[in-house]
Amino acid sequence: ADIVERLSCNDRYFFHIFGNGRLKDMLTHRIGDAPNASIHPPLFGLSAYLGSFDYLLMPSVFEGLSIMSLEASMEALPVIANSCPGLRDTLPDDWPLKVSGNSIDAYMHIFNDIVAKEDKDKLGRIARDFAATKFGVRQMQTSYEKVYG
């Protein structure tokens, strides 16, 4: 909510929020009328729509191994993320769109400085190549063969 509120006067960004989790009431209260955001119920097959977005924002505290981040990367959709356990493993170590501790100032730096200057398509290719190399079917097969070989 802090990110959306801070960027509410910046017409460059519009946030589509999907889900029906425990934070829905808080988000609806804080940003339900924001000019730069819309809140939607869960969307079955969201991964099929990832190509419609410019970035995926994941300010998670813990994700496990994030399938959503991997699906986004496989679609060359750059992920803006908190460097939390599980989620950080889905992106390169030097990924310029990661923040530590969900720092609002770090997110503002990403949105106001990095996103404006970086080549989104290049970032998407880097993310896709990383995900394919580390989490692709061939990599999984090779790893399983080593374990069960």
Side-chain angles (χ1 to χ4, degrees), residues 83 88 91-98 114 118 123 126-127 130:
S83 185
R88 72 173 149 244
L91 299 163
D93 289 337
D94 61 349
W95 187 243
L97 305 179
K98 276 195 286 193
I114 296 176
E118 288 287 335
L123 288 172
I126 291 168
F130 177 82

Side-chain angles (χ1 to χ4, degrees), residues 2-149:
D2 291 339
I3 297 167
V4 174
E5 288 174 337
R6 287 236 191 141
L7 293 171
S8 65
C9 293
N10 186 335
D11 61 0
R12 194 166 170 218
Y13 301 109
F14 191 91
F15 297 87
H16 297 275
I17 302 164
F18 294 91
N20 201 17
R22 63 180 177 81
L23 299 177
K24 181 184 178 200
D25 290 340
M26 181 275 296
L27 286 170
T28 301
H29 174 73
R30 286 187 58 190
I31 62 172
D33 294 327
N36 64 330
S38 59
I39 300 174
H40 309 278
L43 179 62
F44 178 76
L46 177 61
S47 60
Y49 299 95
L50 291 175
S52 303
F53 301 103
D54 294 320
Y55 292 88
L56 174 65
L57 173 62
M58 295 190 73
S60 302
V61 176
F62 180 79
E63 274 293 322
L65 181 65
S66 175
I67 300 302
M68 180 58 67
S69 177
L70 290 173
E71 289 175 332
S73 291
M74 291 291 192
E75 290 293 323
L77 176 66
V79 178
I80 299 170
N82 184 38
S83 185
C84 67
L87 184 53
R88 72 173 149 244
D89 301 323
T90 65
L91 299 163
D93 289 337
D94 61 349
W95 187 243
L97 305 179
K98 276 195 286 193
V99 306
S100 294
N102 263 335
S103 166
I104 188 68
D105 291 332
Y107 282 121
M108 291 305 100
H109 172 65
I110 287 173
F111 280 103
N112 293 323
D113 301 320
I114 296 176
V115 168
K117 295 174 186 163
E118 288 287 335
D119 180 346
K120 180 181 91 64
D121 294 333
K122 179 181 174 188
L123 288 172
R125 287 190 302 274
I126 291 168
R128 183 183 57 223
D129 292 348
F130 177 82
T133 300
K134 192 164 181 183
F135 299 99
V137 173
R138 171 59 67 200
Q139 174 63 24
M140 289 189 308
Q141 179 183 356
T142 302
S143 295
Y144 276 115
E145 288 173 356
K146 285 180 185 176
V147 171
Y148 296 107

